Amino acid sequence: ALSSDLIITTAGVSVGEYDIVKKVMMDMGRLELWSVRMKPGKPFAFGIMGERKVPLLGLPGYPVSTIISFEVFARPVILKMMGKKAPEKPKIKAISKSNIKNKDGRRVFARVYLEREGDRWFATLSGHQGSGNLSSLVRASGLMIIPEDVPEVREGDEVNVEIMEEEWLFSYT
């Protein structure tokens, strides 16, 4: 992979016995960043590998964490390397129908189902929010983004939601 323009790995960047990507990065290059304040997706690594200085993005291993981290970090990098501009993801204001605690000061990407009532949008959690629970992502129509400094979203609070549409997942200019 050291002859590539970019290396992307999934799994192996956390703190378990088999999480060896971080060690390989330190042995064969430079680890520039490890761990980000987001949920899901905290285990994330960025480094530079080999003499050619190939960037490496180490995405987390749980499916939802991998997908969210790819959208937040990897897709913009790939598009920039291609000379393209990432599309602006559609965003709306919605009213939360769920209570969500942000216990550890991370940016939360909560998977939500959106419903329209009159001229207002409402966002409800689309299922269990665990990093390995892919069904909550499949059922979601948006990602409620809770900033790091917001300790809790309560039912009735206005929230920001990124719309998840196939068009923005596969488009670029």
Side-chain angles (χ1 to χ4, degrees), residues 21-135:
V21 173
K22 190 170 79 168
K23 181 183 179 337
V24 170
M25 289 173 75
M26 291 187 292
D27 290 347
M28 296 181 67
R30 283 192 332 261
L31 176 66
E32 298 287 339
L33 174 131
W34 180 68
S35 189
V36 291
R37 286 178 42 194
M38 66 184 269
K39 183 178 184 175
K42 181 179 177 181
F44 173 84
F46 169 72
I48 305 296
M49 301 295 291
E51 292 177 18
R52 287 189 60 240
K53 299 186 175 167
V54 179
L56 185 146
L57 302 175
L59 305 181
Y62 283 117
V64 175
S65 297
T66 303
I67 292 167
I68 303 278
S69 295
F70 182 87
E71 290 302 323
V72 170
F73 299 112
R75 184 180 301 277
V77 167
I78 292 168
L79 291 173
K80 184 163 179 89
M81 290 176 79
M82 292 172 59
K84 309 273 185 200
K85 183 179 174 203
E88 183 69 27
K89 296 176 182 170
K91 297 176 180 76
I92 62 166
K93 297 279 186 187
I95 305 301
S96 179
K97 284 191 166 184
S98 303
N99 294 314
I100 304 167
K101 292 198 184 287
N102 183 3
K103 300 176 208 164
D104 51 4
R106 291 192 267 169
R107 179 166 299 179
V108 175
F109 293 84
R111 283 85 68 198
V112 296
Y113 177 78
L114 291 166
E115 298 173 283
R116 190 175 185 122
E117 295 176 18
D119 62 347
R120 298 175 77 187
W121 286 98
F122 292 86
T124 306
L125 289 178
S126 60
H128 178 67
Q129 297 291 297
S131 297
N133 192 330
L134 200 50
S135 63

